[in-house]
Amino acid sequence: MPLPDSVLVHAPATLSNLGCGFDVFGLALAAPYDTIRLRRTGAPGVRIRHLDAYNLPTDPARNVAGVALLALLAAVPEAVGFEMEITKGIKPGSGVGSSAASAAGAVVAANALLGNRFSQLELVEFAMAGEALASGARHADNVAPAIFGGFTVVRALEPATDIVALPAPTLWVAVVHPQIEIKTKDARQVLPAAVPLGLAVRQWANVAGLVAGFLTADYGLISRSLDDYIVEPARAPLIPGLAEARRRALAAGALGGGISGSGPSIFMLNRDEPTAHAVAAALGSVFAELGIEFNLYVGTVAPEGARVVAE
Amino acid sequence: MPLPDSVLVHAPATLSNLGCGFDVFGLALAAPYDTIRLRRTGAPGVRIRHLDAYNLPTDPARNVAGVALLALLAAVPEAVGFEMEITKGIKPGSGVGSSAASAAGAVVAANALLGNRFSQLELVEFAMAGEALASGARHADNVAPAIFGGFTVVRALEPATDIVALPAPTLWVAVVHPQIEIKTKDARQVLPAAVPLGLAVRQWANVAGLVAGFLTADYGLISRSLDDYIVEPARAPLIPGLAEARRRALAAGALGGGISGSGPSIFMLNRDEPTAHAVAAALGSVFAELGIEFNLYVGTVAPEGARVVAE
């Protein structure tokens, strides 16, 4: 079967941290997603067009998807290049893995055009080059679920990248994106340099509980294990309304949640769709009262990561 | 069916911490175990006899199993008392849950004599009273596996005790108990008060990996996830030969391991029995060369905790 000359890829939004699992956990969402059209060309290099209004860089060395593609191309011996059209369905800076989705989508598309010669783990490595451009740090907590789908654990980045891809039980996710800006770098600067041992133990007890809850579909355990004792308290002052949003979400039936990635989005996990919609409304009500514009997303966990939807 | 007047219980040794999961993980071992004969009497209170040579206290208020029984009796309205004969198969101070086994065995036996009116979680609470006597801290990382069996996660002690009992895959455990004394209180004093955030993240990434490895029977993942970056480095100076023991155990095929509880025992997990015996021999060789007497144990994980074996 000849390789396609062009593919269309959907690349999912992702939640990183997922409560207690700072820098480690990730979850792929069925919506929103970025759409990437990639064409193989004989001319080496990467050309980028944006089909949205976000005015992102078209210089591949300054574009997260471009940088990811360049990292992939550096591992390809033959002379090949790409033309990429990006339609961002995930608002940049929202904290649901916008840059990771574009980077993941680009390398999944390129891999399809090159006969799928790279493993998913190799694609994570290429996409991390894009993340390094976006946030100043090479991290995989969003690109791992954007590539593998489902629930992912970034067990290690050194000495080798070690991603554990796990299935997630049926969950409905409600996300509110208040229109305030938090830069990832700023969100990193408020983090404590060190944490009391007792608090670290409570945190990794929750980490253990959340993994067990996901793998045994124990919703009560998931609900009890989500809380983040370390990172969220440090970042909470960056997000007005966070405490009240959590309170109303739990009252509306959410299992639990927290800040998505470095924010400002807030996610809540829920057992079913009606609860997720009620929780989304509860989240939105807080920011409506605060006079802060917001977007809401409700959807399931995506069992797959970025994938070819058409040639 | 009338209640028995007397039961014989086996209560297993346990590994706590289990590498990366300080204060959280526990694993029940098929051997060694304590044997407890408990008889119900009409005379309130607890009388203790020891059928071993360890010269442990017979005053119930100063004996871990006695204190656990007294805690249980405080929740029993009727006038009832117990006569207890303890035969310790687990050497006190070895770091494989000796006090937890006696406390767990005592309350499991008492529960059988009282019509099993208490849940396993309640039995953990009673047994923790014994642990508080033994170590100065109310902790559940040994009593949880000693009651539930298998692999346990102490997700929280406050506001309520939350134990997650999980199945373990087939594993063979090799344990060396070098005859050096480490008091639990001393082992606590060397712990750091705070840990760098980056190290805490690496630790909880391993915690996540180990839970996932156990639940998916992924031995490679178990092997990569066992390492403890925080507690073992602090306690290693208390155990001469630890680093060399680990080196030889890994060379002999162990998946990984570390200090059992607060030491001085060292455990290694293995995929099969022949490897476990080779690893035990490798562990023993280190202490033989150091001129330190030692005991070796090789056995499987116990799927059940303390249990009635005869009436």
Side-chain angles (χ1 to χ4, degrees):
Chain A
M1 207 169 68
L3 294 174
D5 293 322
S6 167
V7 290
L8 190 73
V9 162
H10 284 178
T14 49
L15 305 177
S16 62
N17 300 352
L18 207 63
C20 56
F22 175 67
D23 267 5
V24 169
F25 289 156
L27 194 69
L29 304 183
Y33 53 81
D34 286 355
T35 301
I36 289 179
R37 166 64 71 182
L38 199 72
R39 292 185 189 83
R40 194 178 54 243
T41 69
V46 174
R47 280 153 299 281
I48 299 175
R49 269 181 65 202
H50 293 291
L51 304 184
D52 53 50
Y54 293 117
N55 204 24
L56 293 170
T58 54
D59 174 359
R62 293 179 52 239
N63 176 289
V64 293
V67 167
L69 279 185
L70 292 173
L72 179 146
L73 281 173
V76 172
E78 61 263 42
V80 60
F82 297 110
E83 288 178 3
M84 176 161 55
E85 289 172 359
I86 306 178
T87 310
K88 288 210 65 72
I90 311 166
K91 196 170 168 175
S94 52
V96 290
S98 179
S99 61
S102 294
V107 297
V108 164
N111 201 32
L113 297 180
L114 294 168
N116 289 313
R117 66 181 74 178
F118 297 112
S119 70
Q120 287 182 301
L121 188 60
E122 289 170 313
L123 297 181
V124 167
E125 302 271 5
F126 299 140
M128 274 199 283
E131 288 292 76
L133 175 72
S135 72
R138 190 173 163 276
H139 62 98
D141 43 349
N142 286 106
V143 292
I147 298 280
F148 284 95
F151 175 51
T152 53
V153 174
V154 181
R155 202 205 53 83
L157 293 177
E158 302 295 340
T161 305
D162 187 6
I163 308 292
V164 185
L166 300 167
T170 300
L171 284 169
W172 284 82
V173 185
V175 177
V176 61
H177 174 204
Q179 307 292 311
I180 54 180
E181 189 181 7
I182 298 179
K183 291 200 183 297
T184 301
K185 286 177 188 172
D186 296 342
R188 291 250 155 197
Q189 277 172 353
V190 300
L191 297 178
V195 294
L197 179 59
L199 211 58
V201 169
R202 288 179 67 195
Q203 187 93 350
W204 67 59
N206 270 4
V207 164
L210 197 62
V211 173
F214 267 67
L215 285 177
T216 63
D218 182 335
Y219 293 95
L221 181 56
I222 291 170
S223 177
R224 298 195 301 279
S225 303
L226 277 163
D227 282 352
D228 167 9
Y229 302 115
I230 294 173
V231 174
E232 183 166 310
R235 289 181 170 169
L238 302 175
I239 305 175
L242 173 62
E244 181 62 18
R246 175 193 304 281
R247 198 155 29 236
R248 292 189 196 177
L250 294 175
L255 296 169
I259 302 171
S260 175
S262 54
S265 285
I266 301 166
F267 77 96
M268 290 284 152
L269 303 185
N270 310 279
R271 287 195 67 153
D272 54 43
E273 185 174 11
T275 307
H277 282 289
V279 166
L283 293 170
S285 70
V286 175
F287 294 97
E289 291 173 21
L290 289 172
I292 297 172
E293 291 195 34
F294 60 91
N295 297 320
L296 296 174
Y297 305 101
V298 170
T300 58
V301 176
E304 283 185 284
R307 68 191 200 284
V308 175
V309 294
E311 294 189 352
Chain B
M1 207 168 69
L3 294 174
D5 294 322
S6 165
V7 290
L8 190 73
V9 162
H10 284 178
T14 49
L15 305 177
S16 62
N17 299 352
L18 207 64
C20 55
F22 175 68
D23 268 4
V24 170
F25 289 156
L27 193 69
L29 303 182
Y33 54 82
D34 286 356
T35 301
I36 289 179
R37 165 65 70 182
L38 198 71
R39 291 184 189 84
R40 193 178 55 243
T41 69
V46 174
R47 282 154 297 282
I48 300 175
R49 270 181 65 202
H50 292 290
L51 303 185
D52 53 49
Y54 292 117
N55 205 25
L56 294 171
T58 54
D59 174 359
R62 293 179 52 240
N63 176 289
V64 293
V67 166
L69 279 186
L70 293 173
L72 178 145
L73 281 173
V76 172
E78 61 262 43
V80 59
F82 298 112
E83 290 178 3
M84 176 162 55
E85 290 173 358
I86 306 177
T87 310
K88 288 210 65 72
I90 310 166
K91 196 170 169 175
S94 52
V96 289
S98 179
S99 61
S102 294
V107 297
V108 165
N111 201 32
L113 297 180
L114 294 168
N116 289 313
R117 65 181 73 178
F118 297 113
S119 70
Q120 288 181 302
L121 188 61
E122 289 171 313
L123 297 180
V124 168
E125 302 270 6
F126 299 140
M128 274 199 284
E131 289 292 75
L133 176 73
S135 72
R138 190 173 163 277
H139 62 98
D141 44 347
N142 287 106
V143 292
I147 298 279
F148 285 95
F151 174 52
T152 52
V153 174
V154 181
R155 202 206 52 82
L157 294 177
E158 301 296 339
T161 305
D162 187 5
I163 308 292
V164 185
L166 299 167
T170 300
L171 284 169
W172 284 81
V173 185
V175 176
V176 60
H177 174 204
Q179 306 291 312
I180 54 179
E181 189 180 6
I182 299 179
K183 291 199 183 299
T184 301
K185 286 177 189 173
D186 296 343
R188 292 249 155 197
Q189 277 172 353
V190 300
L191 297 178
V195 295
L197 179 59
L199 211 57
V201 169
R202 289 180 67 195
Q203 187 92 351
W204 67 59
N206 270 3
V207 163
L210 197 61
V211 173
F214 267 66
L215 286 177
T216 62
D218 181 335
Y219 293 95
L221 180 57
I222 290 170
S223 177
R224 298 195 301 280
S225 303
L226 277 163
D227 283 352
D228 168 9
Y229 301 115
I230 294 173
V231 174
E232 183 165 311
R235 289 181 171 168
L238 302 175
I239 306 175
L242 173 63
E244 181 63 17
R246 176 193 303 280
R247 198 155 30 236
R248 291 189 196 176
L250 294 176
L255 296 170
I259 302 172
S260 175
S262 54
S265 285
I266 300 166
F267 78 96
M268 289 285 151
L269 303 186
N270 311 279
R271 288 195 67 151
D272 55 44
E273 185 173 11
T275 306
H277 282 290
V279 166
L283 292 170
S285 70
V286 174
F287 295 97
E289 290 171 22
L290 290 171
I292 296 172
E293 292 195 35
F294 60 91
N295 297 320
L296 296 174
Y297 304 101
V298 170
T300 56
V301 175
E304 284 184 284
R307 68 191 201 285
V308 175
V309 295
E311 296 191 349

